[in-house]
Amino acid sequence: MTTHQRSSGPRRIRAGGRSVGIGHPDKILFPGDGITKADLARYYRAAARRMLPHLRGRPLMLERHPDGTRGPAFMQKEVPDHFPDWVHRAELPKQGGSVTYAVCDDTATLLYLADQACITPHRFLSRADRPDHPDRLVFDLDPPGDDFPLVRDAAHGLHDLLDELELPSQVMTTGSRGLHVIVPLDRRAPFDDVRSFARDVAGVLAARHADRFTTEPRKKARRGRLYLDVQRNAYAQTAVAPYAVRALPGAPVAVPLAWAELDDPGLSARRWTLGTIARRLEENPWHDPPRPRSLTRARTRLTALTP
C-alpha cells in the first residue's frame, strides 16, 4: 500500500450500503511518512475483513490524533453526541455513573472512526453483553530496552507453560515494542479470577527464569529483566486490536502471528507497516481459532506447578 504519491484522497467511501464521508482527506497524519487521513481510511477499508471479527461486540477506547501524530492526542471513552446513530454503542457502569462506548460492528463504523482521526482502536477483553467476564486473557510483553529477542524468549516460555496447562494460545505483534500472548476463554470466570490466574502463570515463568523475567511492577526493581505484564486483565482495561495502526513513525501495524513465525530472525514488533501490510492481509495465521477454554482445570494444573 503506497501512500506518498497521491494528490487527492477520496471524500466518500462506500461500505456495507453506507457512504462514509472522509473530511479533509489530504490531512497529513504521519508527517514523517506523508500518510494522510485518506490513506488511513483506505487501509482500514482493506483490513476490515480481517479486523472486524476481533472488534464486533466489544467496547472500544479510541486513540485520536486530530492534528496528526506530532500534535496533541487523546484517549476517548465516551461517544460524542455528533457520532451518527448507526454507530453502535454500549453503556457500561463505572464508579458513580456510566460510560457509553463505541462498538465497531461493521466496515462503515471502522471508516467513520478513521475519519475521526482514530488511528488506533483499543478493544475491551470482554464483550459488551458480559463486560465483567472476559473472553480473552492477555500477557503484555514489552522489553526493558530494545531487546526484542528477550520478548521472543518470553513468548516462547509462556507458550510452553500454557501448553503444560493445556490452554491454547495465540501471539501477535503490538506494532509498538513487544508482543501479546492471548488465551481464548469461555467467559465463565470474572476479571478478578482471570487476572489472579494470569498473575500466577507469570509468577511460575518468572521463577523458572528469574534472571530474565519478572513480575515486579516497579521499574527500578526489574534490573533489566522483562516485565510479564498482566494488568490489562481488568474491567474496562483495553488492548490494541489486531490489525490496528499505531501512532508511531512509519505507521506500524499490530499483526497476528503463527507461533512458527516467532523464530523468524527478521521479526520485530514493527515488522509490518501501513506501507507493507497489503500482502500480509491476504494471509490469516489465526484462520483456525482455538476453542475457548475454562480456567478451572488449568488452575488445578497450575497449582501443582507453583513453586
Side-chain angles (χ1 to χ4, degrees), residues 22 27 31 38 63 77 80-81 84-85 97-98 120 149 161 175 177 180 195 214-215 240 263 297:
I22 307 298
K27 176 187 278 289
E63 183 182 336
K77 297 181 181 180
D81 292 339
D85 292 343
S98 65
T120 312
L161 178 52
R177 299 176 62 240
H180 283 174
R195 186 172 61 253
T214 181
T215 58
V240 63
D263 293 321
R297 292 184 179 178

Side-chain angles (χ1 to χ4, degrees), residues 29-153:
L29 294 183
F30 292 79
D33 306 282
I35 295 172
T36 66
K37 190 196 286 189
D39 294 323
L40 183 71
R42 284 191 190 96
Y43 165 70
Y44 278 130
R45 178 70 182 86
R49 65 191 175 111
R50 298 287 185 223
M51 195 171 184
L52 286 172
H54 306 291
L55 295 179
R56 288 191 180 103
R58 298 179 187 278
L60 298 179
M61 181 100 72
L62 310 178
E63 183 182 336
R64 295 179 60 186
H65 295 257
D67 296 313
T69 58
R70 292 182 184 170
F74 61 98
M75 302 293 286
Q76 185 163 46
K77 297 181 181 180
E78 189 78 34
V79 173
D81 292 339
H82 65 79
F83 272 37
D85 292 343
W86 48 263
V87 173
H88 295 172
R89 294 155 166 82
E91 184 177 358
L92 300 180
K94 70 170 186 177
Q95 188 172 8
S98 65
V99 177
T100 301
Y101 295 89
V103 178
C104 184
D105 288 333
D106 52 40
T107 304
T109 300
L110 196 55
L111 289 172
Y112 184 79
L113 297 181
D115 175 60
Q116 298 297 301
C118 171
I119 292 178
T120 312
H122 300 261
R123 63 175 185 165
F124 269 43
L125 303 183
S126 57
R127 297 181 183 275
D129 59 340
R130 298 188 73 192
D132 196 43
H133 287 72
D135 65 353
R136 295 289 183 272
L137 182 160
V138 173
F139 296 92
D140 186 11
L141 309 177
D142 278 339
D146 294 322
D147 189 357
F148 191 76
L150 185 61
V151 179
R152 193 195 315 264
D153 289 347

Side-chain angles (χ1 to χ4, degrees), residues 17 38 192 222 264:
D192 287 348
R222 296 177 194 169
D264 180 349

Side-chain angles (χ1 to χ4, degrees), residues 165 167 185-186 188-189 193 197 293-303:
L165 301 175
L167 288 175
L185 303 177
D186 63 2
R188 294 182 184 178
D193 292 353
F197 176 84
R293 302 297 173 87
S294 165
L295 293 180
T296 304
R297 292 184 179 178
R299 167 59 78 181
T300 301
R301 297 184 186 101
L302 182 62
T303 300

